[in-house]
């Protein structure tokens, strides 16, 4: 009996590690994909999709000077949104650093977390993107970090653009070059057969405890 219990505990530990690995993979997609995508895009630039932007480095996007309340009547001919045309993280944003917090909830088979990305903006931009996949982002906070001060930037809208696995953040004004921190809170599910098996084991163990 004691041996069985030890084996069960070991199995619980192993599956806990497995579950956390899945979470980590999901977060690596979130955090590291920008770099991977950039280099991948460079090595296969000759085979870029037809609607991709030209290979020559485009000039910095022109700041949107149009007041928000000006009616726009040319939507029929307007080009697609930039985050729809470009599947890479723009070179005008550099990821410097990130802090990550994870709270797995093994009983419910899901997790919540928070990541704060320190981003360097090198040219005026009207939107930010970061990669997300299979995560529900529940909160988006953008803060400008200047010399000795922090100032929250109002986010006009933030949303997932799933085809490019982007989380798009549109501030209410043009972001000038400088450092910004983007804090996302998110929730996800610990899916997969390994986690499922872990959960059934855990239920037995919990039944003994409670
Ligand atoms: C932005 O942050 C990076 C990394 O911490 C730092 O090296 C750089 O000096 C900062 N730039 C400004 C303008 O604060
Ligand atoms: C995201 O939210 C939707 C709707 O609330 C839900 O169906 C889905 O399972 C959630 N996905 C994750 C990964 O939490």
């Amino acid at each position: 009996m004691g041996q069985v219990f030890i084996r069960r505990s070991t199995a619980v530990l192993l599956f806990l590690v497995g579950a956390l690995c899945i979470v980590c993979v999901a977060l690596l997609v979130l955090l590291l994909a920008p770099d991977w995508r950039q280099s991948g895009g460079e090595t296969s630039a000759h085979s870029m999709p037809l609607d991709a932007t030209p290979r020559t480095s485009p000039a910095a996007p022109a700041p949107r000077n149009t007041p928000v309340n000006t009616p726009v009547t040319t939507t029929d001919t307007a080009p697609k949104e930039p985050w729809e045309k470009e599947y890479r993280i723009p070179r005008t944003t550099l990821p410097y650093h990130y802090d990550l917090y994870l709270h797995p909830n093994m009983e419910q088979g899901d997790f919540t977390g928070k990541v704060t990305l320190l981003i360097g903006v090198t040219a005026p931009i009207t939107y930010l993107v970061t990669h997300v996949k299979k995560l529900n982002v529940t909160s988006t906070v953008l803060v400008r970090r200047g010399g000795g001060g922090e100032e929250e930037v109002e986010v006009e809208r933030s949303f997932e653009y799933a085809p490019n696995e982007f989380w798009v953040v549109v501030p209410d004004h043009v972001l000038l070059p400088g450092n910004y921190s983007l804090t996302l809170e998110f929730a996800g599910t610990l899916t997969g057969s390994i986690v499922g098996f872990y959960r059934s084991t855990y239920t037995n163990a919990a039944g003994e405890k409670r």
Side-chain angles (χ1 to χ4, degrees):
M1 201 59 187
Q3 261 184 340
V4 172
F5 179 72
I6 287 166
R7 281 184 191 160
R8 206 173 270 174
S9 304
T10 308
V12 166
L13 184 63
L14 284 175
F15 289 121
L16 174 64
V17 169
L20 286 173
C21 283
I22 290 171
V23 174
C24 287
V25 167
L27 287 159
L28 286 177
V29 168
L30 168 71
L31 297 166
L32 301 181
D35 295 326
W36 176 81
R37 292 232 169 179
Q38 251 180 22
S39 51
E42 272 171 7
T43 53
S44 61
H46 57 279
S47 63
M48 285 173 82
L50 288 175
D51 63 346
T53 48
R55 288 183 62 185
T56 49
S57 227
R64 268 196 323 209
N65 295 322
T66 319
V68 177
N69 56 3
T70 302
V72 178
T73 55
T74 58
T75 47
D76 284 349
T77 54
K80 288 200 293 179
E81 299 281 18
W83 50 83
E84 298 176 16
K85 292 188 291 189
E86 181 60 83
Y87 60 93
R88 292 172 293 175
I89 301 291
R91 285 159 201 280
T92 46
T93 55
L94 307 170
Y96 283 133
H97 180 258
Y98 66 85
D99 290 313
L100 177 62
Y101 304 90
L102 275 184
H103 306 284
N105 184 336
M106 290 304 167
E107 283 185 54
Q108 292 175 19
D110 57 19
F111 63 93
T112 58
K114 183 169 104 167
V115 62
T116 297
L117 300 134
L118 178 61
I119 298 169
V121 172
T122 60
I125 56 171
T126 57
Y127 70 98
L128 280 169
V129 290
T130 187
H131 282 292
V132 296
K133 187 176 184 181
K134 293 186 176 178
L135 290 176
N136 283 350
V137 179
T138 54
S139 161
T140 301
V141 175
L142 184 61
V143 171
R144 178 176 176 114
R145 294 167 67 150
E150 294 195 347
E151 186 193 354
E152 184 164 344
V153 178
E154 196 70 36
V155 174
E156 187 181 288
R157 58 198 172 113
S158 57
F159 54 92
E160 183 177 15
Y161 183 66
N164 289 349
E165 296 170 6
F166 277 155
W167 186 255
V168 183
V169 181
V170 181
D172 74 343
H173 62 268
V174 172
L175 296 185
L176 297 176
N179 282 349
Y180 296 82
S181 66
L182 177 64
T183 300
L184 304 179
E185 290 178 11
F186 51 84
T189 311
L190 297 168
T191 52
S193 56
I194 291 177
V195 177
F197 187 52
Y198 161 73
R199 288 189 64 201
S200 65
T201 308
Y202 180 87
T203 304
N204 291 340
E208 285 176 17
K209 268 199 316 193
R210 294 187 178 185

